[in-house]
Amino acid sequence: MARTTAHHEPIAPTAFDFVRVTVVRSGSAILLSEFGQKPVNIGDVALFGANTLCGIEPENHITMTAIYLDADYVVDQVFWQHVGILRDRQDAREFVETAYTEPAQILRLGEDRAGMLMPWLDELVALSVQSRPVDTFYRTQALWFSVAHVIAPFVRTSPVRTSSTERTSTWPAAPRHRQFAPLRVEAQRVAELLRADPARRWSVTELARAVHLSKSQLGRVFVEAYGKSPIAYLTMLRTERMAALLRTTDTPIARIAHDVGWADPDFASRQFRRSVGITPSHYRTLSCERAAPATG
């Protein structure tokens, strides 16, 4: 699926359960994610793994086309791309987790090279709006492969896991049926519990008991559905909530940390910085600067 959107107002850090490839078509912005605080302009492409937070601070305005890809669809492509050396899709998944350790990247294609993508992106958006996946399947694949062929050489890979943002806290998930919904109702239920009360001091034991699974079973089922452990998912939810409160209130940061579920403000700051790329105080300052009326 592809969508083109224009933004004039900041967007708080948000995560989605799929891979995003976002091409900047006009304007500029500051993106906030695990890579820190980085500017993007025409000709840049932002790449985000599933369940990776990203905030947008437009500089006047920014227009972007985003392509949304199911994570298993990406793994399947990697399998066929490297079918000569990979044994099966589980092997492909482990290959992806080893090679693509940075969940957030900015690719500097340049305005001329990115310009090649625009007709393909426009057609992808048009086909997405039509919502006729069976009839348009082959054309949609052809357009995506054309885009991927241009951007793939710019994607950073690692021969070993050395990135500070790699997902070392999660278990590798087995290939699942190709769908956006979680595979198991237990995973859905745990995600609902966490979203309903992210400030609660949840434990994996408590969550596993709520859905009648063992802790290890819950870990496998949840990562299979959401790409990260229940506690990592809870951290993402708390970070989203903390960012919203930092932007919309003048409540002290220590109090906000407590309200979203972190009793230790220093720990909260570390978790926020790991997910958004800057400290809570820096994020609040940046938000205030963007919101201040222009003078002169």
Side-chain angles (χ1 to χ4, degrees):
M1 183 176 72
R3 292 285 187 271
T4 297
T5 56
H7 304 279
H8 298 270
E9 301 296 330
I11 299 176
T14 308
F16 298 93
D17 188 28
F18 35 74
V19 176
R20 284 176 291 164
V21 178
T22 303
V23 182
V24 180
R25 306 185 64 127
S26 66
S28 60
I30 302 296
L31 298 189
L32 308 173
S33 189
E34 296 186 19
F35 48 55
Q37 178 180 347
K38 289 190 176 181
V40 290
N41 301 278
I42 302 174
D44 292 337
V45 176
L47 176 63
F48 299 98
N51 293 299
T52 300
L53 288 167
C54 174
I56 303 175
E57 299 282 340
E59 296 177 318
N60 189 21
H61 85 281
I62 187 169
T63 300
M64 305 178 294
T65 296
I67 303 173
Y68 305 97
L69 303 161
D70 180 271
D72 283 330
Y73 174 73
V74 175
V75 170
D76 205 46
Q77 289 183 25
V78 170
F79 169 70
W80 287 111
Q81 180 183 8
H82 300 279
V83 70
I85 61 172
L86 299 176
R87 296 165 296 179
D88 50 35
R89 284 170 177 77
Q90 178 61 31
D91 199 17
R93 182 179 296 278
E94 293 172 358
F95 175 84
V96 169
E97 292 174 346
T98 300
Y100 301 98
T101 55
E102 295 186 46
Q105 298 185 31
I106 302 295
L107 316 180
R108 309 292 186 185
L109 269 65
E111 190 170 350
D112 291 342
R113 188 175 282 105
M116 298 168 53
L117 307 179
M118 300 311 169
W120 302 329
L121 295 175
D122 289 340
E123 189 174 353
L124 269 174
V125 171
L127 293 178
S128 297
V129 171
Q130 291 177 22
S131 191
R132 294 187 294 116
V134 175
D135 297 337
T136 62
F137 176 80
Y138 292 109
R139 182 56 185 166
T140 299
Q141 306 309 302
L143 291 167
W144 159 240
F145 288 146
S146 296
V147 172
H149 178 72
V150 174
I151 68 173
F154 293 84
V155 178
R156 292 185 296 277
T157 59
S158 302
V160 294
R161 295 186 178 215
T162 57
S163 170
S164 62
T165 57
E166 68 182 280
R167 308 299 177 80
T168 55
S169 62
T170 64
W171 301 275
R176 58 185 170 91
H177 296 298
R178 301 305 190 254
Q179 56 184 9
F180 282 98
L183 180 67
R184 294 274 295 270
V185 294
E186 293 92 341
Q188 287 180 298
R189 177 57 181 156
V190 168
E192 289 169 358
L193 289 171
L194 295 174
R195 286 195 296 266
D197 192 4
R200 181 170 171 174
R201 297 186 64 180
W202 293 102
S203 68
V204 177
T205 299
E206 183 181 10
L207 292 167
R209 188 182 301 120
V211 293
H212 309 292
L213 294 176
S214 69
K215 291 168 59 177
S216 60
Q217 285 177 316
L218 173 60
R220 288 192 296 271
V221 166
F222 199 88
V223 171
E224 204 170 57
Y226 292 99
K228 57 177 62 180
S229 69
I231 298 305
Y233 187 82
L234 176 61
T235 297
M236 181 190 75
L237 295 176
R238 288 177 174 174
T239 301
E240 286 181 325
R241 177 59 178 158
M242 191 170 186
L245 292 173
L246 289 168
R247 180 184 292 280
T248 59
T249 75
D250 58 1
T251 304
I253 293 175
R255 181 63 190 178
I256 290 177
H258 180 272
D259 289 346
V260 302
W262 285 312
D264 183 350
D266 291 335
F267 179 77
S269 181
R270 290 195 298 272
Q271 294 296 94
F272 188 93
R273 182 169 186 172
R274 183 179 181 183
S275 296
V276 180
I278 58 178
T279 64
S281 58
H282 188 180
Y283 180 79
R284 170 169 274 175
T285 300
L286 183 64
S287 299
C288 290
E289 289 173 351
R290 298 292 180 195
T295 59

